[in-house]
Amino acid sequence: MSKTIKKAVIPVAGLGTRFLPASKAIPKEMLPIVDRPIILHIVEEAVAAGVEDVIFVTGRNKHSLEDFFDHNFEQEDSLSKQKKDDLYHLSKKISEMVNVISIRQKSPRGLGHAVLAAKPAVGDEPFVVLLGDEVMFGKPNVTEQLAQVFHHQEVSTIAVMEVPKSDVSKYGIAKIGKTISKHTWHIDDLVEKPKPSEAPSCWALPGRYLFTSDIFKCIEETKPSKNGEIQLTDAMVRLIKKHGLLAHQFTAERYDAGDKLGYMKINFDAALRHPEIGRQFKEYVLERAKTLK
Ligand code: G1P
């Protein structure tokens, strides 16, 4: 089995209802964080970890995601003629960043179903899954950290973070088992969105997974849950029993960009750190804080 990760699966078929009306005609993944769409952050994270092929599990009206990672010759030509070299190179770099493979998820039947749709493009290799609602900043990034654990352990590994007890019902929650090293453990069990009183811990899954191809068989064997969706979490419970699964506590800063408040927080922080507008934005915020009622 290869130990290097070359493929990333990014489920993007969701309708983005939490961002209506902004997401009525453009995918929510194309919404900008200052001047960079959410999807660019997600793909950059994967690329930094060595990924060469990105598999979008996609739906209707998501063509702009493919276009974004392809050349825009008219724009490149115009930037080149105007001698706007920095912008020209920025645009070209994004176009050449990864190979994009698109697979349609023809019905919305859950995250497990979306990951299974990528099977023909993944084959037998280990791969990562990144959920676009979560944006993480850090060096090494979360996907790189999962790849490092996998390189040593050769077992599927997922990212975990501690959340307040009141938030456990928003996430898949892991029951942690034997320690492997300071931030890495075996997982004994997983529960999808438990009530706080029924949660086995406060270790939540923030949407970064590294799987061997064994996960596909486990998804195929997973029955739909009560709402008719095939849960990735249920398939991972099978994976634990058959092949084992590790949890790794990551160090990156994490934002829930799939939620209006989280989206505003990441935009705010990114604007403060932005090389072009950061200083002026900070001045504006400090001034505004004095006068805002
Ligand atoms: C999905 C997963 C859940 C995970 C979460 C992270 O839920 O099912 O286990 O913790 O993503 O964002 P969703 O938020 O899509 O309902």
Side-chain angles (χ1 to χ4, degrees), residues 71-85 87-89 91-92 95:
H71 288 281
N72 180 336
F73 288 111
E74 220 177 337
Q75 203 175 56
E76 283 175 18
D77 186 50
S78 155
L79 290 170
S80 158
K81 282 185 182 137
Q82 292 174 61
K83 302 260 177 290
K84 293 188 171 166
D85 290 348
L87 289 175
Y88 169 79
H89 289 297
S91 177
K92 203 159 170 288
S95 317

Side-chain angles (χ1 to χ4, degrees), residues 158 174-175 186-191 215 218 233-246:
I158 61 176
K175 183 175 178 215
H186 284 275
I187 300 180
D188 286 347
D189 199 8
L190 286 166
V191 193
I215 191 67
C218 296
T233 301
D234 293 345
M236 286 191 286
V237 171
R238 299 187 87 85
L239 190 69
I240 292 168
K241 290 183 187 140
K242 291 169 120 183
H243 305 277
L245 180 64
L246 307 182

Side-chain angles (χ1 to χ4, degrees), residues 16-291:
T17 36
R18 282 194 283 176
F19 275 104
L20 281 170
S23 56
K24 190 165 178 285
I26 57 161
K28 63 173 179 179
E29 294 82 3
M30 288 303 293
L31 295 177
I33 297 168
V34 188
D35 48 6
R36 301 157 61 80
I38 291 173
I39 195 67
L40 179 56
H41 289 278
I42 306 293
V43 169
E44 275 179 343
E45 180 184 326
V47 168
V51 164
E52 293 171 358
D53 300 332
V54 162
I55 300 144
F56 288 137
V57 181
T58 185
R60 289 166 57 77
N61 304 326
K62 298 277 178 163
H63 298 295
S64 53
L65 294 170
E66 294 152 29
D67 292 343
F68 184 76
F69 291 99
D70 196 357
H71 288 281
N72 180 336
F73 288 111
E74 220 177 337
Q75 203 175 56
E76 283 175 18
D77 186 50
S78 155
L79 290 170
S80 158
K81 282 185 182 137
Q82 292 174 61
K83 302 260 177 290
K84 293 188 171 166
D85 290 348
D86 289 356
L87 289 175
Y88 169 79
H89 289 297
L90 176 67
S91 177
K92 203 159 170 288
K93 192 175 155 203
I94 294 169
S95 317
E96 292 167 359
M97 186 174 239
V98 275
N99 303 315
V100 170
I101 300 164
S102 287
I103 294 192
R104 293 283 275 250
Q105 184 185 12
K106 294 185 183 170
S107 52
R109 290 179 52 208
L111 185 55
H113 181 254
V115 172
L116 185 59
K119 184 181 170 186
V122 172
D124 276 342
E125 294 177 42
F127 66 104
V128 284
V129 178
L130 296 94
L131 302 189
D133 282 350
E134 316 266 344
V135 179
M136 324 269 201
F137 293 132
K139 274 192 181 139
N141 70 45
V142 183
T143 302
E144 285 176 284
Q145 291 180 31
L146 295 182
Q148 279 164 12
V149 175
F150 182 73
H151 190 78
H152 295 294
Q153 306 294 336
E154 296 184 44
V155 176
S156 297
T157 306
I158 61 176
V160 292
M161 61 179 185
E162 269 189 301
V163 295
K165 188 130 199 154
S166 52
D167 280 355
V168 290
S169 55
K170 294 185 195 161
Y171 302 98
I173 300 292
K175 183 175 178 215
I176 297 296
K178 258 189 9 228
T179 302
I180 290 189
S181 62
K182 198 167 173 213
H183 298 289
T184 310
W185 305 270
H186 284 275
I187 300 180
D188 286 347
D189 199 8
L190 286 166
V191 193
E192 179 68 4
K193 306 195 177 108
K195 289 186 195 137
S197 59
E198 285 162 17
S201 77
C202 289
W203 288 106
L205 280 49
R208 295 292 186 275
Y209 313 82
L210 188 159
F211 292 124
T212 61
S213 57
D214 299 313
I215 191 67
F216 293 128
K217 183 117 193 14
C218 296
I219 303 174
E220 281 160 356
E221 291 166 355
T222 299
K223 303 229 154 46
S225 63
K226 271 180 244 150
N227 62 4
E229 293 189 351
I230 298 173
Q231 300 292 349
L232 184 59
T233 301
D234 293 345
M236 286 191 286
V237 171
R238 299 187 87 85
L239 190 69
I240 292 168
K241 290 183 187 140
K242 291 169 120 183
H243 305 277
L245 180 64
L246 307 182
H248 181 72
Q249 182 187 21
F250 60 92
T251 50
E253 206 174 346
R254 173 240 172 209
Y255 295 85
D256 183 358
D259 159 80
K260 281 186 195 110
L261 181 61
Y263 178 74
M264 288 317 298
K265 284 182 186 171
I266 191 170
N267 263 287
F268 183 86
D269 290 3
L272 286 174
R273 290 177 187 141
H274 197 283
E276 209 177 299
I277 61 161
R279 197 180 49 78
Q280 280 167 286
F281 184 66
K282 188 173 174 186
E283 282 168 14
Y284 170 77
V285 170
L286 293 174
E287 196 49 43
R288 199 81 180 99
K290 287 184 210 156
T291 54

